[in-house]
Amino acid sequence: MGDCIFCKIAEKQIKADIVYEDEQVLAFKDINAQAPVHVLVIPKEHIPTLNDIKDFSITSRLMAVITKLAKEYKIAQEGYRVVANCNAAAGQAVFHIHFHLLGGRNMQWPPG
């Protein structure tokens, strides 16, 4: 979708450290990691914000991948955080929905 960096990653136009891929979902390591485990999980379909989701089956698929990765990275038992920002005031910088999977350290509350 135009200049969307995540679409370009999904289309393999931009290189990323991909840790999971299927027909609908792509997961890759965040280049600006905020925790020992910091993976971005995205739908391959371009959906700008959470407000734009029409078929919520994609969210189930994304969550299934997140829990799978949490187990693979051995952070499921100790705990992990999943973050999704919606629109600029919440901190969304890339307008292609994505979930941050963060773990491997103690998280603080409130988050920021």
Side-chain angles (χ1 to χ4, degrees):
M1 186 67 136
D3 289 334
C4 176
I5 190 167
F6 288 173
C7 286
K8 289 179 180 179
I9 290 171
E11 295 166 0
K12 310 294 190 321
Q13 295 174 10
I14 295 177
K15 195 171 185 182
D17 189 354
I18 296 170
V19 298
Y20 177 87
E21 183 173 12
D22 66 27
E23 290 181 6
Q24 295 179 298
V25 176
L26 186 74
F28 53 94
K29 292 183 179 178
D30 193 308
I31 61 170
N32 187 26
Q34 301 298 306
V37 174
H38 189 167
V39 175
L40 298 176
V41 182
I42 69 167
K44 288 184 174 180
E45 174 189 0
H46 182 79
I47 304 169
T49 74
L50 295 173
N51 295 331
D52 299 304
I53 298 171
K54 303 290 186 244
D55 179 357
F56 284 91
S57 66
I58 191 61
T59 57
S60 294
R61 186 72 201 121
L62 293 164
M63 288 300 137
V65 170
I66 288 167
T67 58
K68 174 184 175 14
L69 291 172
K71 290 172 187 168
E72 287 179 8
Y73 279 99
K74 299 188 183 347
I75 59 174
Q77 285 300 108
E78 192 167 311
Y80 58 94
R81 180 170 287 168
V82 178
V83 176
N85 301 314
C86 184
N87 284 320
Q92 185 176 3
V94 177
F95 285 82
H96 181 124
I97 65 169
H98 56 284
F99 291 85
H100 298 258
L101 168 62
L102 299 139
R105 70 169 174 81
N106 288 330
M107 301 291 160
Q108 303 298 312
W109 195 261

